[in-house]
Each structure stands twice: as C-alpha cells, then as structure tokens.
C-alpha cells in the first residue's frame, strides 16, 4: 500500500522591498513521503524569493516534466521554471528551451559543490539560467521550523532574507553561483 503525501498549510506573509512585492499567501504543500523537511522548506523559501500571483508549485517529485515551482504567463508560456537541489543538466537544458527564465536553487553543502563541478561546463551555455546557493546552516534552520500548520513572515531587502516564525528569526543570504546575465560568456 502506497504511503500518502502529508499536507502542510503555511501562511506566508512576504515583504520584498527589492521587488516592491507585498502579499500574504495561503500555501498548501503536499509533502511526498520521500521529501525531507529541508527540501520542503527550501520550496517555501523559493516561493518567497520569486512570489507572484501566478507562481505555483509543480506536481512534485514523481512528475518529470514539471518543475518544483513555476510561473506561467496568461497565454500559457512558462515565464519562470524553478528547480531545487541538483537536477540533471539535460533536464535543465530542456527547461531552458521551454521557459523564459530557469532558476536552480542549489542546497546541500558539499553535494551542491560536487553537482556544480560536474554540471557547470554544460550549464554555462544556457543564457536564461540562474543558479543560487543556500547555505547548509540556513537550510537546517528552516527545516527545524517545519510543522503542518505554520505562519511565517519573510522580509527581503538588499538580497538578504529573513524568515520569521514567532520568536525565531533566520537570516539567509542566497549566493548567486551563476546568473542569466553571466551565462553564455
């Protein structure tokens, strides 16, 4: 018998001074049995970083032709394709052909470095690809917040992110490993 996904309800209040985006989102996340707290909370962070009224979560780990998050234009074109972790370079190249902008949020410490060392030469040819790194300590702190009912505030200013849950404040500084402006050079 298959194990069902666990449902998480998260109220996420975002104040992004860099993009002048201010909104509260009621998120419902289905956590696949094989998904870790770390990965699930990085999905929430990714949502906060790229929040938009049309940003939505993909169908999950078991679907190969959808990203972890995406934003589609009103005409159905994919504006943003966001994948987490260490995706296969062939998958990312295919995504770059389908979407206006592809973002990989790389986390996992040494594993992230190994993935980049193997994939960089292939991925640097993609002009619409950005790769950002999230430090292990920040991911661990986010994972410690994981609860089935959660209220979070996210403040973003000058590239610095603060995730606030009650008295807990987590500072995160996403580090660009590759930006779409530097890709293809």
């Amino acid at each position: 018998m298959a194990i069902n996904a666990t449902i998480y309800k998260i109220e996420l209040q975002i104040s992004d001074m860099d993009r002048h985006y201010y909104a509260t989102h009621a998120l419902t996340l289905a956590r696949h049995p094989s998904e870790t707290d770390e990965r699930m909370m990085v999905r929430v962070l990714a949502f906060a970083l790229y929040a938009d009224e049309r940003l939505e979560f993909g169908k999950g780990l078991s679907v190969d032709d959808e990203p972890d998050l995406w934003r589609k234009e009103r005409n159905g074109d994919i504006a943003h394709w966001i994948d987490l972790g260490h995706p296969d370079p062939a998958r990312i190249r295919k995504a770059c052909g389908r979407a206006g902008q592809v973002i990989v949020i790389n986390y996992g410490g040494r594993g992230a470095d190994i993935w980049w060392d193997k994939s960089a030469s292939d991925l640097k040819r993609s002009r619409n690809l950005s790769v950002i790194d999230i430090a292990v300590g920040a991911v661990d702190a986010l994972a410690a917040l994981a609860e089935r009912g959660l209220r979070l505030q996210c403040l973003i200013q000058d590239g610095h992110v603060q995730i606030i849950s009650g008295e807990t404040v987590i500072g995160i500084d996403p580090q660009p490993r590759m930006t779409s402006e530097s890709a293809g050079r």
Side-chain angles (χ1 to χ4, degrees):
M1 184 160 126
I3 300 173
N4 293 331
T6 303
I7 303 300
Y8 286 76
K9 301 261 185 189
I10 300 173
E11 180 183 300
L12 179 62
Q13 182 182 37
I14 301 168
S15 297
D16 186 339
M17 274 72 82
D18 294 347
R19 294 188 305 135
H20 303 288
Y21 181 85
Y22 309 94
T24 299
H25 295 270
L27 305 177
T28 301
L29 282 81
R31 181 175 159 198
H32 190 275
S34 67
E35 185 175 31
T36 64
D37 285 343
E38 290 83 2
R39 187 175 191 287
M40 183 188 70
M41 293 304 289
V42 170
R43 281 199 292 151
V44 173
L45 174 63
F47 189 95
L49 290 171
Y50 298 97
D52 181 273
E53 65 184 28
R54 291 188 311 272
L55 184 66
E56 55 188 58
F57 294 101
K59 291 183 181 169
L61 295 171
S62 59
V63 179
D64 288 337
D65 62 343
E66 285 190 12
D68 293 303
L69 296 102
W70 56 3
R71 183 176 69 81
K72 292 183 180 179
E73 299 292 355
R74 296 193 197 291
N75 66 2
D77 290 348
I78 302 169
H80 285 100
W81 175 293
I82 303 169
D83 264 343
L84 309 178
H86 316 127
D88 184 86
R91 173 184 167 83
I92 297 303
R93 283 193 316 276
K94 184 176 177 183
C96 286
R98 293 180 62 194
Q101 178 68 38
V102 176
I103 299 130
V104 174
I105 299 181
N106 192 6
Y107 68 98
R110 182 69 185 127
D113 293 335
I114 292 169
W115 171 80
W116 180 251
D117 290 344
K118 289 181 180 178
S119 305
S121 62
D122 197 17
L123 295 178
K124 285 184 178 178
R125 294 185 291 232
S126 301
R127 296 189 183 280
N128 59 335
L129 173 64
S130 296
V131 177
I132 65 170
D133 291 336
I134 306 298
V136 172
V139 174
D140 291 344
L142 285 172
L145 297 177
E147 293 180 15
R148 291 185 65 184
L150 194 55
R151 295 182 72 180
L152 299 174
Q153 292 179 327
C154 177
L155 305 173
I156 303 172
Q157 185 173 16
D158 298 328
H160 178 74
V161 180
Q162 286 186 322
I163 300 289
I164 303 163
S165 175
E167 300 296 317
T168 303
V169 179
I170 301 168
I172 303 167
D173 290 304
Q175 296 298 311
R177 193 178 286 255
M178 180 177 112
T179 61
S180 56
E181 296 85 35
S182 66
R185 291 186 188 160

